[in-house]
Amino acid sequence: MKTHIAILRGINVGGKRKILMADLKLLFQDLGFADIETYIQSGNVVFKAPTSDKLEHLIKKAIQEKYGFEVPTIVRSLNEWEKSISTNPFLSSENEGIERMHLTFLKETPKQENIELAEAFERGNDQLSIVGKDVFLLLEGKYSQSKLSNQFFEKKLKVEATTRNWKTVKKLLEIASKN
């Protein structure tokens, strides 16, 4: 069984689309996954699965059937997660605190013309770097104040997206590495 990390978008935000992490863990058990661990209430799940095939589809479908709403779901293997972390171009920047860094995970690699549209967008002092299925962000202020939101990337890149701050990205690696 291989270790994976699932990141769910838009649950437990403002009291809407509520899923308790204990219930989410049970749902993952019902899907046949093992060594399941959740992190904070925003839909981060580390788990082991016997296969890597169609995990996003299985999880998304199970949530839809149980809760009656759709949740964008992105799953990465531990190896993919490690590669994403090592690829961050902003880690080498001097004096860059992790509180300014975020990683937007994309469902699939966007088309080059869509990448060019996103990169050409006027974004002030916020920086971005698109590498494969990852968008690395180095923001001037808070994520909630940036124009570089999930909706922005979904519109410009035409793929599903969900974002985590760098602290969460690193914590999920820590959990997955123990798993």
Side-chain angles (χ1 to χ4, degrees), residues 40-102:
I40 63 177
Q41 298 297 311
S42 59
N44 305 295
V45 186
V46 176
F47 64 100
K48 287 187 178 175
T51 179
S52 296
D53 294 340
K54 301 182 181 180
L55 293 174
E56 293 168 338
H57 174 75
L58 288 171
I59 295 165
K60 193 174 185 175
K61 182 180 176 194
I63 291 171
Q64 173 74 44
E65 288 173 358
K66 180 165 182 152
Y67 294 98
F69 52 82
E70 189 174 301
V71 174
T73 304
I74 295 176
V75 176
R76 299 279 172 90
S77 71
L78 176 56
N79 289 340
E80 290 173 310
W81 201 268
E82 290 170 329
K83 183 178 179 190
S84 292
I85 287 175
S86 68
T87 307
N88 186 341
F90 302 120
L91 285 178
S92 61
S93 300
E94 300 234 355
N95 302 318
E96 302 304 344
I98 66 165
E99 68 279 350
R100 294 183 55 209
M101 289 186 225
H102 295 75

Side-chain angles (χ1 to χ4, degrees), residues 9-23:
R9 180 166 147 216
I11 64 169
N12 301 333
V13 178
K16 296 181 181 176
R17 296 167 28 132
K18 194 152 184 71
I19 302 175
L20 298 174
M21 292 301 100
D23 294 341

Side-chain angles (χ1 to χ4, degrees), residues 26-168:
L26 289 173
L27 183 124
F28 273 59
Q29 286 174 341
D30 290 345
L31 289 171
F33 304 148
D35 298 333
I36 303 153
E37 190 170 339
T38 61
Y39 176 67
I40 63 177
Q41 298 297 311
S42 59
N44 305 295
V45 186
V46 176
F47 64 100
K48 287 187 178 175
T51 179
S52 296
D53 294 340
K54 301 182 181 180
L55 293 174
E56 293 168 338
H57 174 75
L58 288 171
I59 295 165
K60 193 174 185 175
K61 182 180 176 194
I63 291 171
Q64 173 74 44
E65 288 173 358
K66 180 165 182 152
Y67 294 98
F69 52 82
E70 189 174 301
V71 174
T73 304
I74 295 176
V75 176
R76 299 279 172 90
S77 71
L78 176 56
N79 289 340
E80 290 173 310
W81 201 268
E82 290 170 329
K83 183 178 179 190
S84 292
I85 287 175
S86 68
T87 307
N88 186 341
F90 302 120
L91 285 178
S92 61
S93 300
E94 300 234 355
N95 302 318
E96 302 304 344
I98 66 165
E99 68 279 350
R100 294 183 55 209
M101 289 186 225
H102 295 75
L103 177 50
T104 299
F105 297 90
L106 305 175
K107 181 80 117 184
E108 57 197 49
T109 303
K111 294 180 181 174
Q112 185 59 38
E113 61 264 23
N114 295 335
I115 291 172
E116 291 168 8
L117 282 174
E119 290 175 335
F121 183 78
E122 174 52 47
R123 54 189 181 273
N125 292 326
D126 290 346
Q127 297 177 51
L128 68 86
S129 177
I130 303 170
V131 181
K133 297 189 295 184
D134 297 323
V135 181
F136 299 96
L137 302 174
L138 182 63
L139 304 178
E140 182 72 18
K142 294 180 179 181
Y143 177 77
S144 61
Q145 298 169 326
S146 176
K147 294 177 182 178
L148 302 177
S149 66
N150 293 322
Q151 293 81 7
F152 168 83
F153 289 115
E154 288 182 338
K155 183 178 178 184
K156 295 289 185 190
L157 299 176
K158 305 204 182 318
V159 298
E160 280 186 13
T162 189
T163 302
R164 297 297 186 268
N165 65 48
W166 198 249
K167 180 181 173 188
T168 298

